[in-house]
Amino acid sequence: MAAIPDFDLADIKRRMQGAVSSLSKDLGSLRTGRATPSLLDPIQVDAYGAMMPMAQVATVSVPEPRLLSISVWDRAMITAVEKAIRESDLGLNPQTEGQTIRLRIPEMNEQRRKEMVKVAHKYTEESRVAVRHVRRDGLDHLKKLLKDSLISEDDEKRQAGDVQKATDQYIAEIDGVLASKEKEIMQV
């Protein structure tokens, strides 16, 4: 089986895997009632005149299942970190003790859990769409190669089948990631 010119199935799979990785990161930042350092990943802190991720100004640890401990490296940054947490849409109230900020993660009620599941479904649908866009790009490229007579119809059909198999595989992986996150969110 000769290699098809200018067509890279591995690149298509890599791009689809990127959509799955992005989804995992997005879902990791959703609050589930359990403390995780990734909960603070989306928060940007106004530090030294620039917006920086929390991980670049402090260390986040989980001393208890419902508590986050943030050790701010520079004492002058404590108020900026507190402000960033308060202004985020996480609904958390920071308590400062010296250079350490503590965040208690409150229990989530049923309504809030259902809202989180809806947000998770939205993120998941965005990832599915991204995978489908990669599939469309791959199929369009194959059609162009066929039109330019660089590949045969049989090669085009076989490669299109491979692209569809990869699409199905990554959509199933996305659905699995959603199912586990949904279970985690709804767990009391």
Side-chain angles (χ1 to χ4, degrees):
M1 176 167 47
I4 294 178
D6 295 333
F7 184 75
D8 188 2
L9 184 62
D11 181 56
I12 287 174
K13 287 182 176 181
R14 182 189 55 74
R15 289 170 54 201
M16 288 180 178
Q17 181 59 47
V20 175
S21 300
S22 176
L23 173 66
S24 296
K25 185 175 183 230
D26 289 344
L27 291 180
S29 69
L30 280 183
R31 200 170 106 203
T32 61
R34 184 179 302 130
T36 66
S38 62
L39 187 65
L40 303 178
D41 285 351
I43 296 178
Q44 296 285 314
V45 179
D46 185 5
Y48 314 111
M51 296 308 281
M52 302 174 99
M54 182 71 71
Q56 291 184 4
V57 295
T59 303
V60 180
S61 60
V62 185
E64 298 172 24
R66 294 202 179 280
L67 179 72
L68 285 175
S69 178
I70 305 164
S71 299
V72 182
W73 300 329
D74 182 357
R75 185 178 289 277
M77 295 306 305
I78 291 175
T79 53
V81 171
E82 279 182 339
K83 181 180 177 197
I85 293 169
R86 278 198 184 92
E87 290 177 354
S88 73
D89 60 351
L90 295 175
L92 299 173
N93 189 25
Q95 299 167 334
T96 306
E97 300 168 8
Q99 273 186 264
T100 303
I101 298 173
R102 299 198 187 289
L103 293 175
R104 289 241 169 254
I105 310 295
E107 280 284 342
M108 287 179 26
N109 60 22
E110 189 69 19
Q111 179 184 357
R112 184 76 174 131
R113 289 179 192 282
K114 288 179 180 173
E115 288 173 17
M116 285 292 151
V117 168
K118 284 181 186 173
V119 172
H121 278 272
K122 184 182 118 226
Y123 288 157
T124 303
E125 189 53 37
E126 289 170 2
S127 292
R128 286 187 192 117
V129 168
V131 167
R132 290 183 195 121
H133 282 302
V134 174
R135 174 187 65 187
R136 186 196 63 218
D137 291 348
L139 295 178
D140 287 351
H141 186 69
L142 284 170
K143 286 177 188 164
K144 184 180 181 323
L145 290 173
L146 179 64
K147 183 180 168 216
D148 294 344
S149 300
L150 295 172
I151 61 172
S152 68
E153 271 188 51
D154 290 343
D155 283 342
E156 190 261 348
K157 281 192 176 17
R158 185 175 38 74
Q159 287 293 343
D162 291 345
V163 169
Q164 185 59 48
K165 280 182 202 162
T167 302
D168 294 343
Q169 171 193 340
Y170 286 106
I171 294 285
E173 192 174 330
I174 285 170
D175 291 342
V177 169
L178 171 66
S180 70
K181 186 64 175 187
E182 200 169 337
K183 182 180 173 191
E184 181 183 334
I185 290 171
M186 295 309 289
Q187 185 178 0
V188 178

